Amino acid sequence: MPDSIARPSFTPVRGALGLSVAMGMGRFFYTPALPLMVAALHWSSAPGAWIATLNYVGYFIGTLVIAQGWVEPNRFVYRLSLIVSTVGLAAVALTSNLIWQGGIRTIAGIASGLIFVCVTQRIPANSRRPRDGGISYGGVGFGILVSGAIVLAAGSVADWRQLWLICAAVSAIFSSIAWTWPIPARIPQNTTPTEATDPTTPDDPTETATDDPAEAATPFDANRRRAMAILSTGYFFQGGGYIIIGTYLVVLAGPVFGATAAASTWLIAGIATAASPLTWSAVAARIGTVKALTVCYCLQVFGALLAVFGSSPIVLIIAAALFGFTFIGVVMMTIGVGTQLGVANASAKLTSWYSIGQIVGPAVVAAALSEHIAAAFIASAIALAIAMALTLVGVLTGNVDR
């Protein structure tokens, strides 16, 4: 009895720590650690950029295999990915060989993508209270906060290898708690994530949707597919716009904060990201998803434009805070909309487009705007404005709960 009473309140924490392992450490520890690696290994900017790109590619692969139905987001996949992500952090410390680094970060990206989908697709089913989803999504920011804190606290006494090993140890602790995140051993075919464990789902085959394609292709289904396509396109632009800020904000911070630029800005972004999900959950509950998404996007665009004037500490602090405060809010609310549409593997499908945007955004900037950082942030703001417009059209087209 005590365990059954405690479990509902601790379940969101398990999801949060799963996202901390996948995103805050498995994906984003590279950001504050990279400047120390560049200094110690005498890298130019190219190796770090390529390794980061390979991690994005891996993340895309991880989400794509679920979106296409090639891999089930089940308990085995989730737990194996926790192990791979943690081992991958430690493996970075083994050698500075670029092929090894690129390979490990690609595998780590795949594991991160799998964990992210396994957690986010189960959040609606595992949430017992309105704030539970916000707590789980808050794990992304908590992980970013931990990543920045590790580098800021130990960067002056530990070398880059030791920092990765410290992060791997923390990831192992988090994984042991996240291990029991409720997720089915098998995912029933042709069900949404909520239906997979919804006790109200009818067992009588006569009560389920017809198998006749002519009858199944209803106007509602066509409208839902159209909404999902628009939403996915908007999410692509969101992925490209947000990652430009995340990538180049550290570059702007370098001359202002010095050697601790990456860790300092990442710490600020992490604090803001950790507070974001619960805040936006409350805002959406009060004013509705459409208005909340609009406000969140507007703040994100403002943060991108503000960074153009990032020559003073206070401006950079505000820009970093807005970056952290808005990106996970958009992610949480957009995936929530996709789930409400009733599309199977909605989280994986949306995140696949998001991942493509993360690859394309920095590539476009590197090819055309690498010498003009201010122009890169303007391009980010334009991409985010397009994302906002498409996302809102997708929400309205899908006629979801607003």
Side-chain angles (χ1 to χ4, degrees):
M1 177 69 70
D3 182 61
S4 64
I5 294 174
R7 181 168 295 174
S9 62
F10 198 68
T11 294
V13 176
R14 294 189 178 101
L17 293 181
L19 291 179
S20 292
V21 170
M23 308 301 291
M25 289 175 284
R27 287 206 71 198
F28 293 140
F29 184 73
Y30 190 72
T31 299
L34 180 60
L36 297 177
M37 296 176 70
V38 168
L41 301 173
H42 307 291
W43 284 353
S44 66
S45 59
W50 278 111
I51 291 171
T53 300
L54 288 173
N55 183 253
Y56 297 150
V57 171
Y59 186 73
F60 167 65
I61 294 171
T63 60
L64 180 67
V65 295
I66 293 180
Q68 295 298 316
W70 300 330
V71 172
E72 267 190 359
N74 57 31
R75 188 182 305 154
F76 173 77
V77 169
Y78 169 67
R79 292 179 174 178
L80 178 62
S81 299
L82 288 174
I83 295 170
V84 170
S85 184
T86 300
V87 172
L89 291 169
V92 172
L94 293 180
T95 176
S96 60
N97 178 274
L98 291 177
I99 296 177
W100 174 264
Q101 292 281 330
I104 288 298
R105 294 304 293 159
T106 302
I107 295 171
I110 294 172
S112 295
L114 292 171
I115 296 170
F116 182 83
V117 174
C118 286
V119 172
T120 57
Q121 287 203 167
R122 298 299 307 165
I123 286 176
N126 291 339
S127 296
R128 298 292 179 265
R129 298 164 299 180
R131 66 176 181 272
D132 284 355
I135 293 172
S136 293
Y137 275 106
V140 176
F142 182 64
I144 291 174
L145 179 61
V146 169
S147 293
I150 290 172
V151 175
L152 203 59
S156 59
V157 295
D159 63 20
W160 67 271
R161 297 176 190 271
Q162 293 168 330
L163 290 174
W164 281 98
L165 292 175
I166 292 170
C167 188
V170 175
S171 179
I173 294 171
F174 284 11
S175 293
S176 67
I177 301 172
W179 191 262
T180 50
W181 169 251
I183 183 169
R186 295 282 299 173
I187 306 296
Q189 296 298 313
N190 301 320
T191 60
T192 64
T194 304
E195 289 171 341
T197 57
D198 188 351
T200 64
T201 302
D203 294 325
D204 185 351
T206 63
E207 298 180 33
T208 60
T210 178
D211 292 331
D212 187 344
E215 293 184 36
T218 64
F220 172 76
D221 291 328
N223 191 62
R224 183 174 61 178
R225 287 195 297 270
R226 187 181 307 111
M228 190 66 180
I230 297 171
L231 204 64
S232 298
T233 306
Y235 213 41
F236 163 80
F237 281 99
Q238 162 63 208
Y242 117 86
I243 201 61
I244 291 172
I245 303 175
T247 301
Y248 289 96
L249 191 62
V250 172
V251 176
L252 284 180
V256 179
F257 291 108
T260 61
S264 299
T265 52
W266 217 231
L267 201 63
I268 294 164
I271 293 171
T273 306
S276 171
L278 283 174
T279 303
W280 288 112
S281 292
V283 171
R286 179 173 290 273
I287 67 175
T289 302
V290 172
K291 291 180 181 178
L293 263 172
T294 303
V295 172
C296 192
Y297 261 114
C298 287
L299 288 174
Q300 195 175 38
V301 171
F302 175 71
L305 294 174
L306 186 66
V308 174
F309 307 98
S311 57
S312 68
I314 186 64
V315 170
L316 287 171
I317 288 172
I318 295 173
L322 285 174
F323 165 73
F325 187 64
T326 55
F327 91 86
I328 198 64
V330 171
V331 166
M332 178 183 69
M333 288 185 280
T334 305
I335 289 179
V337 169
T339 301
Q340 287 185 53
L341 288 173
V343 177
N345 290 327
S347 175
K349 291 173 181 176
L350 285 168
T351 307
S352 294
W353 284 101
Y354 192 80
S355 303
I356 297 173
Q358 287 182 322
I359 297 169
V360 172
V364 170
V365 170
L369 303 171
S370 59
E371 302 301 322
H372 307 281
I373 298 301
F377 281 96
I378 293 172
S380 171
I382 293 172
L384 293 172
I386 294 172
M388 175 173 67
L390 289 171
T391 299
L392 295 178
V393 170
V395 171
L396 296 171
T397 301
N399 196 30
V400 299
D401 182 12
R402 299 192 291 272

